[in-house]
Amino acid sequence: MLENLNLFLVIVEKGGLAAAGRELGFSPATVSERLASLERYYGTTLLSRTTRSISLTEEGRLLLEEGRHLLAQAEGLKRRLRDGGDEMNGLLRISAPHDLGISRLVPLLDRFMAQHPGITLDLNLTDGYLDLVGQGIDLALRYGELADSTLRTLSLGENRRIVCASPAYLARKGVPRHPGELADHDCLLMRFGEHPERWWSFQVEGVVKRVMVQGRRISNNGYLVRQWCLQGEGICLKSRWDVGEDLSRGRLVEILPEFAAPASRLQIVYPSGRHQPRRVRALIDALVAEFGRPQG
């Protein structure tokens, strides 16, 4: 429609269909077809034509006046959309696990936004799974392998999950020496989707084995599970990134380290086939620099 509108303006400017066709490289038949299409779109006759001249109808005169503004606005919008991808401004929609988001991502985003005042942020902290494409999310941080193979990933490094508890809990309940002893302990369970994560993986005599655990506290929020653990309510299985500072400060103690399961990955996940604006590319670079550091 915009191309046909531009043709209409050229027809008026050049004083005829043939002259407009020569100007734009269209055949006379193409010019006539496009003008007829524009008149059908608006539901009115725009030009009165004779064998020797053309003249504007009242509706054509109105379109001539307003059409220039429409084309200018459309061109301005196109320029902003095109150039906006190369500017450090606009909205970033991000998702991340709750605990990792609070402890590591939010401080990084605060620094990033301070460096780029034109950036606005929509951050979704959840330990569940989201439809990135359907919800318009630019990128997400996720642990482990992905079921959705249509998404693109960029590894940020190894994610080691550890079993830990507070000194108060261990003093009260004792320290388990083997994964099989967890059956006698209160374990704090994460729920991903509908079902709690009751099976924990360990490396036992060179083989990965799954041990079933039980507990009275279950949540889909990793931050809450960590808080329960700090309060001495039980034993949890957490990413080293989530509890690294707690371990270094002695608030939590790693247990069963000799049975630690093989590490998984922390990944940046983003929709495939989508042009990434400069702001998204810059954030990915910042995430790689931040999480590429050794874990605490």
Side-chain angles (χ1 to χ4, degrees):
M1 190 275 288
L2 291 175
E3 290 180 354
N4 291 345
L5 177 56
N6 181 65
L7 172 62
F8 170 73
L9 298 181
V10 175
I11 291 173
V12 176
E13 177 185 345
K14 297 299 180 179
L17 277 67
R22 288 192 295 271
E23 176 73 16
L24 298 176
F26 293 150
S27 68
T30 299
V31 174
S32 296
E33 290 171 3
R34 284 178 172 256
L35 177 59
S37 176
L38 188 67
E39 290 179 325
R40 286 195 301 271
Y41 179 84
Y42 285 112
T44 189
T45 300
L46 301 173
L47 294 173
S48 296
R49 296 179 284 264
T50 68
T51 55
R52 296 188 176 183
S53 65
I54 62 170
S55 61
L56 288 166
T57 63
E58 286 299 318
E59 293 78 9
R61 189 169 292 106
L62 176 61
L63 183 60
L64 178 64
E65 295 172 358
E66 299 295 334
R68 293 191 179 97
H69 297 298
L70 286 174
L71 288 176
Q73 290 174 353
E75 181 60 30
L77 176 59
K78 177 181 177 182
R79 185 167 53 252
R80 290 198 302 274
L81 290 173
R82 182 188 62 231
D83 297 342
D86 294 324
E87 295 179 0
M88 289 299 292
N89 57 39
L91 175 63
L92 280 171
R93 290 189 175 92
I94 306 165
S95 176
H98 196 286
D99 225 7
L100 181 72
I102 294 294
S103 63
R104 296 290 295 273
L105 180 59
V106 168
L108 180 151
L109 291 174
D110 288 341
R111 296 193 299 271
F112 188 82
M113 295 181 70
Q115 294 170 359
H116 308 293
I119 296 292
T120 57
L121 174 67
D122 185 342
L123 176 60
N124 187 326
L125 295 181
T126 176
D127 294 298
Y129 299 102
L130 298 178
D131 178 0
L132 302 192
V133 176
Q135 298 190 30
I137 295 173
D138 293 304
L139 63 86
L141 296 184
R142 288 290 177 262
Y143 290 123
E145 300 301 321
L146 300 179
D148 189 347
S149 60
T150 65
L151 299 174
R152 299 185 65 182
T153 63
L154 176 64
S155 177
L156 291 176
E158 295 287 293
N159 165 46
R160 189 164 73 88
R161 299 181 77 193
I162 65 173
V163 179
C164 55
S166 71
Y169 175 87
L170 297 175
R172 188 172 73 252
K173 293 283 192 172
V175 181
R177 303 299 179 184
H178 188 275
E181 297 178 15
L182 290 174
D184 300 323
H185 285 266
D186 293 322
C187 292
L188 306 168
L189 306 182
M190 274 292 301
R191 184 178 70 250
F192 299 98
E194 297 181 2
H195 305 292
E197 187 183 31
R198 296 189 182 275
W199 292 92
W200 293 1
S201 296
F202 295 91
Q203 190 94 10
V204 181
E205 298 178 354
V207 178
V208 177
K209 293 188 176 180
R210 300 172 71 216
V211 175
M212 188 174 184
V213 298
Q214 299 289 341
R216 298 170 54 222
R217 295 172 185 256
I218 302 170
S219 177
N220 66 342
N221 188 304
Y223 179 80
L224 178 56
V225 168
R226 173 172 160 264
Q227 292 303 308
W228 283 338
C229 194
L230 288 168
Q231 294 167 17
E233 303 294 348
I235 296 173
C236 72
L237 177 64
K238 292 289 291 179
S239 164
R240 178 87 183 190
W241 269 308
D242 294 342
V243 295
E245 186 175 353
D246 297 322
L247 295 170
S248 64
R249 293 179 178 273
R251 295 189 292 253
L252 293 178
V253 177
E254 182 177 3
I255 57 180
L256 304 172
E258 64 272 30
F259 298 100
S264 60
R265 291 191 299 167
L266 176 66
Q267 302 178 94
I268 299 174
V269 182
Y270 54 96
S272 61
R274 177 185 293 181
H275 171 72
Q276 291 181 328
R278 184 184 172 198
R279 60 185 179 274
V280 177
R281 299 194 301 269
L283 179 59
I284 289 176
D285 291 341
L287 289 168
V288 170
E290 170 71 17
F291 288 95
R293 303 171 186 172
Q295 298 180 48

